[in-house]
Amino acid sequence: MAEAKSKLKIINPDAAGIDIGSTVHYVCVPEGRDKQHIQKFGCFTVDLHNLAKWLKKCQVRTVAMESTGVYWIPLFQILESYKFEVKLVNARHVKNVPGRKSDVQDCQWLQQLHSYGLLQGSFRPENLFKISER
């Protein structure tokens, strides 16, 4: 009896995954886009802009990142300003997979799931952080 194998189809070939941390963000792009398809970036504004520029250089169009505390907010805003499609993913929905033990593995896992179209972004109202004028 032949065993049937099903392969997942890549829906987002230009997808990246980002594991958000308080001091460092780990980013994974598809293999072949850069000599090192996994990089880490600091959390200062200049680092976030360098991260976005690297994603552009790697021809990424869509990004999935885990929502950890409030650390995602500045990066989310900067990525949107660079015209990326950004999905904020609930960490509870992604963390329940056994065997993943490092930030590097987390960003790889996010990139892989996002490339297959298996991640859903959390609801985020428009202009959430816009200061209202009175």
Side-chain angles (χ1 to χ4, degrees):
M1 177 155 99
E3 188 177 316
K5 278 191 169 181
S6 66
K7 285 191 169 188
L8 293 174
K9 182 180 177 187
I10 292 182
I11 306 294
N12 300 315
D14 302 321
I18 303 176
D19 184 66
I20 303 290
S22 60
T23 58
V24 172
H25 302 321
Y26 286 88
V27 185
C28 179
V29 298
E31 290 190 38
R33 304 288 176 104
D34 194 57
K35 289 179 185 177
Q36 291 185 309
H37 74 282
I38 299 171
Q39 299 229 5
K40 70 177 183 176
F41 293 87
C43 296
F44 291 103
T45 304
V46 67
D47 301 318
L48 302 182
H49 283 281
N50 287 337
L51 188 161
K53 290 173 187 173
W54 181 67
L55 290 175
K56 284 287 184 189
K57 178 184 154 228
C58 294
Q59 300 176 342
V60 166
R61 296 175 193 261
T62 180
V63 178
M65 57 191 212
E66 285 183 335
S67 58
T68 305
V70 296
Y71 304 116
W72 61 271
I73 297 170
L75 180 57
F76 190 101
Q77 291 176 325
I78 287 173
L79 291 176
E80 276 194 329
S81 77
Y82 279 79
K83 307 296 184 208
F84 290 103
E85 173 195 27
V86 186
K87 289 192 182 236
L88 181 62
V89 179
N90 187 326
R92 285 188 191 153
H93 297 162
V94 185
K95 292 279 187 198
N96 295 327
V97 178
R100 294 173 37 250
K101 304 227 185 309
S102 74
D103 295 329
V104 172
Q105 289 172 329
D106 283 348
C107 73
Q108 288 177 296
W109 183 240
L110 285 167
Q111 189 275 328
Q112 184 178 18
L113 291 176
H114 190 34
S115 70
Y116 292 135
L118 297 175
L119 296 177
Q120 185 171 350
S122 299
F123 173 73
R124 182 179 166 269
E126 290 296 317
N127 298 322
L128 180 64
F129 300 104
K130 186 177 179 182
I131 299 172
S132 63
E133 297 176 24
R134 293 185 182 207

